[in-house]
Amino acid sequence: MGDEVGVTGPMPQPPSVRVPPVLSTAHRWGRAAACASAGVLLLVLSLCGCVSSSRTDTDYRNKAANSAEAVRSSVETARLLVRAVDAGKSPGPYTSRTLSQLEGAVGSVSTQFGSVQPPTRESVRLRTGLIDLLDEVESVLSELRIAARQGRLQALPRLAEPLPGLSERLRRFQELVPT
């Protein structure tokens, strides 16, 4: 008899395998945007860690340029997101969540940079200009987030109109440090 086990009835069938449906273009874009958002958030958080006290104008300018770069990345991500919404390729919940993350990242950068003691009067002027600009960016992102959460996605392109100009102004702060 050996290895035989008394089995009665039909052999059990393996569980059925569920094949996922082919992803739609909007779903693939949403995944790509989610990865991009995560990358932006990681960049912002890593750059926030770079901000500390400054002893020289050069060091302070570097911190200002790094902060502007991080915030500009958030602005450009918001611009991409609004274009996707306008094309019908970004759902409301994803859009509002992403805008909220971008707004939070900008607020974090602003807080970190604002906590650095400017070493000279020239640095105080630089600080005032950049903090004012970061406040403007945060305000626009806030308006976008609120509209998205209220389901007013059609209003986002109009509300996002200041973003290209803000991005350009942030680029000028980035240029404080030659590469």
Side-chain angles (χ1 to χ4, degrees):
M1 297 215 188
D3 294 301
E4 289 182 24
V5 176
V7 177
T8 59
M11 292 289 287
Q13 296 296 315
S16 63
V17 177
R18 184 175 171 269
V19 178
V22 176
L23 297 177
S24 68
T25 303
H27 188 82
R28 283 191 306 249
W29 192 95
R31 279 189 168 176
C35 290
S37 295
V40 167
L41 190 57
L42 182 61
L43 171 68
V44 168
L45 292 175
S46 67
L47 288 173
C48 286
C50 299
V51 178
S52 60
S53 63
S54 286
R55 297 187 187 274
T56 67
D57 277 337
T58 300
D59 184 47
Y60 196 80
R61 278 193 304 275
N62 284 334
K63 290 179 189 322
N66 287 339
S67 296
E69 180 180 11
V71 171
R72 186 169 181 227
S73 180
S74 291
V75 167
E76 291 303 319
T77 301
R79 290 178 68 193
L80 277 172
L81 183 61
V82 169
R83 281 197 294 266
V85 167
D86 199 32
K89 295 183 178 180
S90 183
Y94 171 78
T95 300
S96 71
R97 190 169 39 255
T98 302
L99 288 168
S100 180
Q101 290 171 346
L102 293 171
E103 180 185 3
V106 170
S108 178
V109 171
S110 183
T111 298
Q112 290 289 326
F113 179 72
S115 70
V116 178
Q117 177 67 40
T120 64
R121 286 186 179 161
E122 178 185 335
S123 296
V124 170
R125 284 190 293 278
L126 175 65
R127 177 187 186 280
T128 300
L130 184 55
I131 292 293
D132 288 348
L133 178 55
L134 299 182
D135 287 346
E136 285 182 58
V137 169
E138 199 169 1
S139 177
V140 171
L141 291 176
S142 178
E143 288 178 25
L144 289 167
R145 174 189 46 81
I146 291 167
R149 286 213 176 135
Q150 292 175 342
R152 298 183 300 118
L153 298 180
Q154 72 284 357
L156 296 187
R158 179 185 51 78
L159 295 172
E161 288 174 358
L163 291 178
L166 293 170
S167 181
E168 176 59 25
R169 289 169 57 198
L170 287 162
R171 185 190 60 74
R172 285 188 228 131
F173 272 98
Q174 282 179 256
E175 292 175 350
L176 291 171
V177 180
T179 55

